[in-house]
Amino acid sequence: MAVNTADAVQQRSRERRKSLLPLLKKVQETEGYLSRETIRHISRTLRVSENEIYGVASFYPQFRFQPPGRYHIQVCLGTACHVGGAPNFMEAMKIERGLGHGQTTPDRRFSLEGVGCLGCCAISPVVVVNGEVYGRMNRVTFMRLVESLESPEKPS
Ligand code: FES
């Protein structure tokens, strides 16, 4: 009897974890990130520990734990863009703006994300800012783009 009860508890636990991923994806889509409050709420609702939720979410690079910046910069790190020098863009943001993958600047102007192939390899290396695609980028044009987004004409 005790075995059956343990099996049932494990089964319920598996089902709760199974529903976790689609739920996290939905929250990420609608809110742009997974806030502490949201994770706490999901934890209570599904009766899954917050640690477990963080464990699952941090395994997938698409999940963010900070709100996106006003300008969300996605650098394609797929093969064609990688070969074309896209990792230099990430490095430039780290060195020149102190911003790494999954981070947002303190003023919330920029957030940075390295992503997989965006499906436009013919114009690689590719960067996307708030859904707008910029192709055939190099480190100089990339940083010019970032600087243009910092200009005073663009209110934060
Ligand atoms: S590898 Fe970057 S768009 Fe395909």
Side-chain angles (χ1 to χ4, degrees):
M1 189 62 127
V3 172
N4 286 343
T5 304
D7 285 348
V9 169
Q10 282 183 342
Q11 177 65 25
R12 276 199 301 272
S13 176
R14 272 195 297 271
E15 285 168 10
R16 283 194 297 261
R17 270 186 255 123
K18 214 167 130 185
S19 62
L20 183 59
L21 202 51
L23 184 58
L24 294 176
K25 284 181 180 171
K26 190 72 184 167
V27 170
Q28 173 85 18
E29 273 173 33
T30 55
E31 297 181 15
Y33 76 112
L34 304 174
S35 69
R36 267 190 180 168
E37 295 72 30
T38 301
I39 288 176
R40 197 169 300 135
H41 179 72
I42 292 171
S43 169
R44 280 195 219 113
T45 305
L46 295 182
R47 286 185 285 146
V48 175
S49 77
E50 289 181 38
N51 279 346
E52 191 170 352
I53 296 171
Y54 279 110
V56 169
S58 60
F59 182 77
Y60 297 94
Q62 81 255 32
F63 292 118
R64 302 173 45 80
F65 301 101
Q66 294 178 324
R70 178 166 184 239
Y71 297 105
H72 184 58
I73 302 170
Q74 294 174 298
V75 175
C76 178
L77 296 174
T79 304
C81 293
H82 192 280
V83 169
N88 288 325
F89 311 161
M90 300 294 285
E91 184 187 75
M93 286 300 276
K94 188 73 183 171
I95 292 170
E96 298 183 30
R97 299 294 187 278
L99 193 62
H101 168 80
Q103 295 181 330
T104 303
T105 53
D107 64 0
R108 296 196 46 204
R109 192 172 190 97
F110 296 113
S111 52
L112 181 66
E113 183 181 18
V115 297
C117 178
L118 292 165
C120 38
C121 310
I123 58 167
S124 66
V126 172
V127 169
V128 174
V129 180
N130 294 352
E132 194 169 335
V133 178
Y134 297 85
R136 295 192 172 86
M137 301 294 280
N138 59 46
R139 190 173 176 138
V140 172
T141 55
F142 173 70
M143 289 315 291
R144 274 195 202 130
L145 172 63
V146 171
E147 285 161 17
S148 77
L149 300 173
E150 287 173 322
S151 76
E153 297 88 56
K154 295 203 180 261
S156 54

